[in-house]
Structure formats: C-alpha cells, structure tokens
Amino acid sequence: MDANRVEIDWHSARETNLRNWDERVPMHVEGYELHKFDDPEYLSDVVEDDLVALSSFLPAQRLRGLDLCHLQCHIGTDTLSLARAGARVTGVDFSAPALRAARTLAERYGVDATWVESDVLDARSAVTGEFDVVYTSIGTIGWLHDLDRWATQIVELLRPGGTFYIRDGHPALFALDEFSETLTTRYAYFGDRRALQWDQESSYAGEGTLANTRTYEWPHPLSEIFGALLRAGLRILHFDEGKTIPWRFSSRMVEVSRGFSWPEAERNLIPCTYTIVARRD
C-alpha cells in the first residue's frame, strides 16, 4: 500500500470513501467473528479497553442508564457492546449497508438501538436528542477533513456536563513507513488540507477483493485534534498514549494481549494510540 498527497474536494472524497466502505460491509460481517456475541456477556475488545479509561469519568463509574451516541459506528459491534454495558445507544454512520448490518446484529441479540445514516460532520442535524456520552474509537477521524466542524457536532450532541471519549491510532504512528524494517518516518505528521490517496484491494478484516480500491484520508496531528476540541468549548479531562493497537499496522508488529505492538525492543519508542476524555461544561 502506498499513498500520494492530492488536492480533492470533500464531496468527491466522501463519495469515493463511501463506495469503499459500502463494499467492505459483507467482508467485515464475515471477518468480525460476530458469533462471539452469542455469549450474552461478550463485549468487543475495543469497548472493554475503552471502558477502563472512560468509566471513572462517568456518574457512578458506569454507562448504565446513560444516553450514548456512537459516531462512525460501522456495523455496530462496538455499539452493541456499549448497549450491553448499560447505555441507551444511538449509532451514526454514513454507510447504509453498514447500518443494515448493525440493525440485523442488534435485532439478533435483542438489543434496543437507534441507527442514523449521516455523515459525522452533519450528525447534529440528523440525530434527535442530547447525550450524556459521545463516543468514537479506532479508525475514525482520519476519514474527516474538517476537525473544527467535527468537534462542533460533538459539543452540540452533548448535554451540559456530558462526556466525550475518543481513542484512535496515534498520528505519530501514521507518519511511519509501514513497510520499513526500522521505525522510519514516511508520511507527513502535519496536515496541509491535502488528502492522502490510497489504493488497496483488501480490507483489514475478512476475505475478498475490493473493486472500489481508492480511499482518501487526512493526517491530523495531536495539536489539531486538541485545538479543535478546545475551540469547540470542551474541557480536557484526560489524555493518554498506548503501546498497542487493535490491528496490525505493520507486518513487523507482534500479536500481544488484545492487539498488536512493536517488537519489545522498540515498544517504548513510538506510541500506537492516544485517548482523550473531555467534558462539556
């Protein structure tokens, strides 16, 4: 996989990405091991890890009884897990096939959930109500070109006193050459409004070949992420960086408990994820 930095308008990039993500849905339905939800106590690894960081900032240190909006929910595995943890959930995604898969999954396991088809950048106008928690995690904001608009949606979805949570791949990780035998920077850490254009025939989960291979992503340094949240009026409560990530970013990564990490000798050299918890006062 390789990438070029290109000028492209948001609408064109969004439509190209949508075709790619629509096509990924059946691959992910097969590849996400949905049978694990047959166990009524099962939660996705992503949500189990996120709850460790999030719970201490919630009333009574738990999700039970809270209204939660999950942005960029894809096929709903994490949304279902958040519902099993006690939240009243609304999942938002721009892919209609993904939401159909999410609805089928929730109905199969008797989970009450609301599903809304919308770009995350227009979420406030599409979603009804206000929320105690707005949540997004792993593989999300790199698909967005405008973080100020993103952060505004979050603030407007939250009730006063509500909590925002994000965990995602670290921008320092995404600047690395995924093919190099050493930790070598290849891609820009700082954005300049241009997109990274990718072409890849496979997805990170499931078997098969994609016809819509092209996608566009945008690099967002930590300064841009924090700046957008702060400008929108959120108060930062917590920040952390992690050494593991749920997918194998590079073939040199090794499998560890609940994800992948760099070989032990390099594990303290570069972060793999970041976590931010913020509040609307």
Side-chain angles (χ1 to χ4, degrees):
M1 185 167 63
D2 203 351
N4 298 310
R5 299 190 82 168
V6 298
E7 298 276 0
I8 186 168
D9 67 274
W10 166 246
H11 177 75
S12 298
R14 182 259 189 204
E15 291 304 307
T16 299
N17 286 342
L18 179 59
R19 288 191 291 271
N20 176 271
W21 279 98
D22 282 352
E23 193 178 356
R24 292 193 204 200
V25 170
M27 298 168 64
H28 291 179
V29 168
E30 294 298 320
Y32 271 36
E33 299 182 310
L34 301 184
H35 64 274
K36 291 183 177 180
F37 285 96
D38 291 345
D39 175 359
E41 302 299 317
Y42 175 76
L43 305 180
S44 69
D45 287 350
V46 167
V47 166
E48 282 205 337
D49 289 345
D50 287 340
L51 287 176
V52 173
L54 174 61
S55 294
S56 62
F57 299 97
L58 299 176
Q61 286 72 59
R62 61 182 185 177
L63 281 176
R64 187 161 305 282
L66 300 183
D67 295 311
L68 181 146
C69 184
H70 180 187
L71 300 178
Q72 295 170 270
C73 67
H74 192 37
I75 65 170
T77 51
D78 294 336
T79 322
L80 175 58
S81 299
L82 293 161
R84 284 184 167 181
R88 292 183 292 268
V89 296
T90 296
V92 179
D93 200 87
F94 75 154
S95 168
L99 291 177
R100 286 195 293 271
R103 187 175 292 108
T104 297
L105 183 68
E107 290 174 352
R108 181 188 308 163
Y109 293 107
V111 171
D112 186 20
T114 299
W115 307 103
V116 178
E117 182 182 343
S118 173
D119 284 354
V120 65
L121 298 181
D122 298 315
R124 176 62 285 178
S125 63
V127 176
T128 301
E130 295 181 325
F131 297 87
D132 303 297
V133 178
V134 173
Y135 168 96
T136 193
S137 190
I138 301 300
T140 56
I141 64 171
W143 301 101
L144 309 177
H145 77 305
D146 186 344
L147 292 196
D148 282 320
R149 184 171 168 184
W150 166 76
T152 298
Q153 307 306 302
I154 292 162
V155 170
E156 294 182 352
L157 286 166
L158 284 170
R159 294 188 174 105
T163 301
F164 170 65
Y165 178 92
I166 180 172
R167 179 167 63 105
D168 211 337
H170 201 290
L173 178 76
F174 293 152
L176 296 179
D177 184 344
E178 67 272 46
F179 301 114
S180 176
E181 293 302 313
T182 61
L183 298 177
T184 303
T185 300
R186 179 178 186 179
Y187 307 108
Y189 176 84
F190 294 101
D192 61 2
R193 306 298 292 179
R194 288 184 296 168
L196 288 169
Q197 176 182 291
W198 304 90
D199 285 280
Q200 187 177 20
E201 293 183 344
S202 61
S203 186
Y204 59 85
E207 302 294 331
T209 300
L210 296 167
N212 294 286
T213 60
R214 180 156 295 177
T215 57
Y216 296 96
E217 297 181 62
W218 287 263
H220 300 299
L222 287 178
S223 56
E224 183 185 358
I225 298 165
F226 277 106
L229 297 173
L230 291 168
R231 284 190 295 273
L234 289 168
R235 177 165 55 92
I236 305 299
L237 303 179
H238 172 77
F239 172 69
D240 194 16
E241 295 167 294
K243 300 177 184 178
T244 65
I245 198 162
W247 78 95
R248 184 174 263 126
F249 169 81
S250 165
S251 61
R252 289 204 309 113
M253 281 187 156
V254 296
E255 191 165 3
V256 295
S257 176
R258 309 175 76 79
F260 299 90
S261 187
W262 294 109
E264 190 169 356
E266 300 175 337
R267 206 160 291 169
N268 290 330
L269 298 180
I270 195 80
C272 291
T273 61
Y274 68 91
T275 300
I276 300 171
V277 183
R279 180 152 295 150
R280 177 185 174 185
D281 290 324

